C-alpha cells in the first residue's frame, strides 16, 4: 500500500496502489476581530512619520483585494501601541495564550466531525512559522485536548505558507507506515499562525530601511486542523471529506532569496520578491503533470486530464499569485472560488490558510468531484496534492446560483 519510486522515472514518486487515505474531519478557527485596510493605515499614522516607502505600502494596502483580515487583537491592543515593537519573548507569550487557544478550538472541531475517541489518535503533526519555542505549541495543545502523552508528535518549521499541505503530506506518509503494519492511523494535523503580532516590526523596517515591504498588507491569524485516516478500523458509515490520491513536494531552483521569513530580535521579517507570482505560476503546470503521471493506473483511468476539470484549493498567497496560477492553468475564478473567498474575507494566514480553503470548498454546494490543493512556501517550496470528494456527496450537490459566483465577489472586492 505504500508509494514507491520507479527507477528512471521523471516523476519524483510513483504510487503503485490505492492509498486508502482520507481526511475525515476538518476544523478552522479564526479570531473574532476583523480589520479592514484602514486599520493598518491608522496604526501606521499613529506611530510613524510620512515617508515615500510608507506611502507606497499604504497605497498597495488599499488595493490588495482583501476586505478584512482576521486578527487576535484590535488596533488599540497594547502590544501594537507601545513605543517600540514587542520582542521575541512577548511574542512567544502571546502565541502561548492566543495561538494555543485557537489551535485547541480548531482541533476540537476536526475531532468532533471525525466522531472518534481522542484516545484513538496515533500521531499529531503540527506546523507554524510564527513561533519557535521549545517545547513547541503542539505540546500545550495536546495537553489541553487530553491527548495521551505517548502519542507521537512531529512539529514542522521553516516551511511557511506551504506548511499546511506539508503537514498533511507528512501525516499521510505516517499513516501509510501503519497501513504497512496493518494498524489503524488517526493523525491530527494542526497549523496555527499569528502573523498580526508582527505588524509593528514590519512597519519599523519600512520606516528604517525605506523598503516597500508588502507582507504587512497581506497576513492574518488562524488555526486549522484535520484528521487523516488510513481506514483501518473505521466504521463503514464514516464518509470521508476528501480522499488523498497522491502528492508532490518540490523546491524551485535558485529561489531562496525570493521568499523567506527571516529571524529578527522583533520576531520574523517577511522576504518577498516581485518574482514570486511569476515563479509560482510557471511551476504549477509541470508539477501538475508530474503528479498526475505518478498516480496509480486505477486513478489515472478515473481522473480527468485537464486542470480545468478539477476544482482548485490554492493557498491565497496574494491576489497576483491566485490570478497568475489561474491564467497559467487556463482556469476561471470559479475554479478558485474558495481561494478568492478566503483571501477576501480573512487574508493570508500562512500555513493555516490551505485547510481553511479546503474547508470552504467542501462546504459549498456544487463544484467538481476532484480537487487540486497547492501551496508555496519559503525556498521556494511547492506542495501539491490530488484530492477526491466522495462521488455520492458530489453527485447530490446542485449548482450554485449565478448571482453568487466568485467573479462577482472578486469584482466587488476590487471596486
Amino acid at each position: 500500500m505504500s508509494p514507491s519510486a520507479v527507477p528512471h522515472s521523471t516523476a519524483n514518486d510513483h504510487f503503485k496502489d490505492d492509498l486508502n487515505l482520507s481526511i475525515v474531519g476538518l476544523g478552522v478557527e479564526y479570531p473574532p476581530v476583523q480589520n479592514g485596510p484602514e486599520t493598518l493605515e491608522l496604526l501606521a499614522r499613529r506611530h510613524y512619520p510620512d515617508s515615500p516607502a510608507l506611502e507606497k505600502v499604504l497605497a498597495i494596502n488599499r488595493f490588495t483585494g482583501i476586505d478584512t483580515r482576521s486578527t487576535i487583537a484590535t488596533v488599540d491592543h497594547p502590544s501594537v501601541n507601545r513605543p517600540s515593537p514587542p520582542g521575541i519573548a512577548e511574542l512567544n507569550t502571546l502565541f502561548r495564550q492566543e495561538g494555543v487557544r485557537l489551535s485547541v478550538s480548531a482541533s476540537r472541531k476536526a475531532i468532533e466531525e471525525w466522531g472518534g475517541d481522542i484516545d484513538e489518535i496515533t500521531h499529531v503533526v503540527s506546523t507554524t512559522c510564527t513561533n519557535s519555542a521549545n517545547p513547541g505549541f503542539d505540546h500545550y495543545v495536546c495537553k489541553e485536548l487530553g491527548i495521551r502523552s505517548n502519542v507521537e508528535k512531529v512539529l514542522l518549521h521553516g516551511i511557511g505558507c506551504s506548511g499546511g499541505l506539508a503537514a498533511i503530506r507528512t501525516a499521510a506518509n505516517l499513516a501509510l507506515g501503519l497501513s504497512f503494519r496493518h494498524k489503524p492511523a488517526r493523525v491530527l494535523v494542526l497549523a496555527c499562525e499569528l502573523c498580526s503580532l508582527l505588524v509593528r516590526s514590519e512597519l519599523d523596517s519600512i520606516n528604517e530601511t525605506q523598503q516597500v515591504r508588502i507582507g504587512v498588507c497581506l497576513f492574518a491569524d488562524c488555526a486549522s486542523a484535520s484528521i487523516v485516516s488510513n481506514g483501518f478500523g473505521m466504521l463503514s458509515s464514516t464518509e470521508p471529506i476528501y480522499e488523498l490520491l497522491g502528492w508532490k513536494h518540490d523546491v524551485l531552483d535558485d529561489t531562496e532569496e525570493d521568499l523567506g521569513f527571516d529571524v529578527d530580535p522583533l520576531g520574523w521579517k517577511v522576504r518577498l520578491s516581485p518574482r514570486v507570482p511569476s515563479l509560482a505560476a510557471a511551476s504549477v503546470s509541470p508539477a501538475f503533470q508530474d503528479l498526475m503521471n505518478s498516480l496509480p493506473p486505477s486513478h489515472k483511468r478515473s481522473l480527468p486530464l485537464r486542470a480545468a476539470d478539477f476544482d482548485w484549493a490554492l493557498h491565497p498567497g496574494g491576489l497576483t499569485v491566485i490570478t497568475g496560477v489561474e491564467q497559467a492553468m487556463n482556469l476561471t475564478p470559479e475554479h478558485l472560488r474558495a481561494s478568492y473567498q478566503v483571501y477576501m474575507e480573512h487574508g493570508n494566514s500562512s500555513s493555516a490558510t490551505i485547510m481553511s480553503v479546503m474547508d470552504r470548498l467542501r462546504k459549498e454546494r456544487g463544484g467538481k468531484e476532484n480537487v487540486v490543493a497547492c501551496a508555496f512556501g519559503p525556498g521556494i517550496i511547492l506542495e501539491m496534492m490530488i484530492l477526491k470528494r466522495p462521488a455520492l456527496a458530489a453527485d447530490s450537490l446542485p449548482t450554485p446560483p449565478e448571482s453568487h459566483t466568485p467573479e462577482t465577489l472578486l469584482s466587488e472586492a476590487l471596486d
Side-chain angles (χ1 to χ4, degrees):
M1 296 188 66
S2 59
S4 60
V6 174
H8 313 301
S9 170
T10 57
N12 291 332
D13 298 285
H14 268 58
F15 297 96
K16 291 173 58 178
D17 306 299
D18 186 355
L19 304 179
N20 198 35
L21 298 175
S22 60
I23 293 174
V24 294
L26 264 173
V28 178
E29 189 69 25
Y30 283 102
V33 179
Q34 294 287 95
N35 289 308
E38 70 282 354
T39 303
L40 178 63
E41 186 150 359
L42 176 59
L43 197 62
R45 303 293 187 202
R46 182 182 291 174
H47 295 285
Y48 299 94
D50 293 344
S51 69
L54 182 60
E55 292 306 315
K56 189 163 186 179
V57 168
L58 294 178
I60 292 170
N61 179 59
R62 301 181 197 114
F63 295 99
T64 60
I66 299 172
D67 291 338
T68 53
R69 286 190 277 168
S70 300
T71 64
I72 62 167
T74 68
V75 70
D76 296 318
H77 192 274
S79 67
V80 295
N81 285 286
R82 302 176 356 168
S84 60
I88 192 72
E90 185 177 348
L91 294 173
N92 179 61
T93 299
L94 288 167
F95 196 101
R96 179 76 60 82
Q97 296 166 352
E98 299 299 327
V100 169
R101 181 182 62 79
L102 289 176
S103 299
V104 168
S105 180
S107 297
R108 283 176 173 157
K109 288 180 179 180
I111 293 167
E112 181 180 1
E113 180 172 25
W114 158 46
D117 191 284
I118 199 163
D119 286 338
E120 297 177 51
I121 292 176
T122 57
H123 302 76
V124 178
V125 179
S126 307
T127 186
T128 184
C129 64
T130 51
N131 185 257
S132 57
N134 298 282
F137 82 103
D138 58 329
H139 170 86
Y140 299 99
V141 173
C142 289
K143 195 172 180 179
E144 185 75 17
L145 290 172
I147 291 175
R148 292 177 291 109
S149 61
N150 62 345
V151 166
E152 296 181 27
K153 295 190 289 291
V154 178
L155 177 57
L156 305 178
H157 191 67
I159 49 178
C161 295
S162 65
L165 268 189
I168 295 175
R169 170 175 55 80
T170 302
N173 279 308
L174 289 169
L176 284 175
L178 286 184
S179 295
F180 183 77
R181 297 164 61 191
H182 302 284
K183 292 185 175 183
R186 308 291 183 265
V187 187
L188 171 62
V189 179
L190 174 62
C192 180
E193 307 289 3
L194 299 186
C195 306
S196 69
L197 296 178
L198 306 174
V199 60
R200 283 293 307 278
S201 175
E202 286 289 346
L203 288 171
D204 250 31
S205 291
I206 294 166
N207 182 56
E208 292 170 4
T209 67
Q210 288 299 294
Q211 295 177 335
V212 178
R213 304 174 61 87
I214 66 170
V216 74
C217 307
L218 302 173
F219 288 101
D221 305 335
C222 180
S224 57
S226 60
I227 302 291
V228 173
S229 169
N230 67 352
F232 279 74
M234 289 287 288
L235 295 174
S236 59
S237 59
T238 302
E239 185 72 42
I241 299 168
Y242 290 106
E243 297 171 1
L244 279 57
L245 306 187
W247 51 83
K248 179 179 176 62
H249 165 91
D250 206 354
V251 179
L252 309 188
D253 291 339
D254 302 319
T255 58
E256 293 89 349
E257 299 305 315
D258 288 288
L259 182 59
F261 205 42
D262 299 328
V263 178
D264 186 88
L266 302 179
W268 297 266
K269 303 283 189 181
V270 178
R271 180 162 28 91
L272 185 62
S273 87
R275 297 202 312 156
V276 169
S278 60
L279 289 168
S283 69
V284 173
S285 181
F288 174 73
Q289 295 302 326
D290 198 31
L291 177 52
M292 290 294 290
N293 289 335
S294 75
L295 297 177
S298 59
H299 291 329
K300 287 182 183 179
R301 288 191 295 269
S302 62
L303 286 171
L305 297 177
R306 298 187 313 141
D309 292 325
F310 292 75
D311 273 335
W312 282 68
L314 177 70
H315 169 74
L319 189 59
T320 53
V321 171
I322 308 174
T323 57
V325 171
E326 180 184 317
Q327 294 166 9
M329 300 304 290
N330 294 314
L331 305 175
T332 67
E334 176 69 15
H335 292 96
L336 292 153
R337 60 195 178 279
S339 298
Y340 277 122
Q341 289 164 355
V342 168
Y343 177 74
M344 289 186 289
E345 294 175 16
H346 298 287
N348 176 356
S349 303
S350 191
S351 70
T353 319
I354 190 67
M355 282 188 275
S356 176
V357 174
M358 292 164 59
D359 186 52
R360 175 67 65 96
L361 188 59
R362 63 85 174 236
K363 288 178 177 177
E364 290 186 349
R365 303 190 65 78
K368 302 182 185 301
E369 183 180 359
N370 301 294
V371 177
V372 179
C374 183
F376 300 92
I380 292 173
I381 296 169
L382 176 146
E383 297 281 353
M384 186 176 286
M385 191 168 286
I386 302 294
L387 309 170
K388 183 175 183 178
R389 288 185 274 190
L392 183 63
D395 290 344
S396 67
L397 297 175
T399 303
E402 185 71 23
S403 60
H404 292 91
T405 62
E407 291 94 329
T408 305
L409 292 170
L410 181 61
S411 175
E412 292 173 353
L414 297 177
D415 281 344

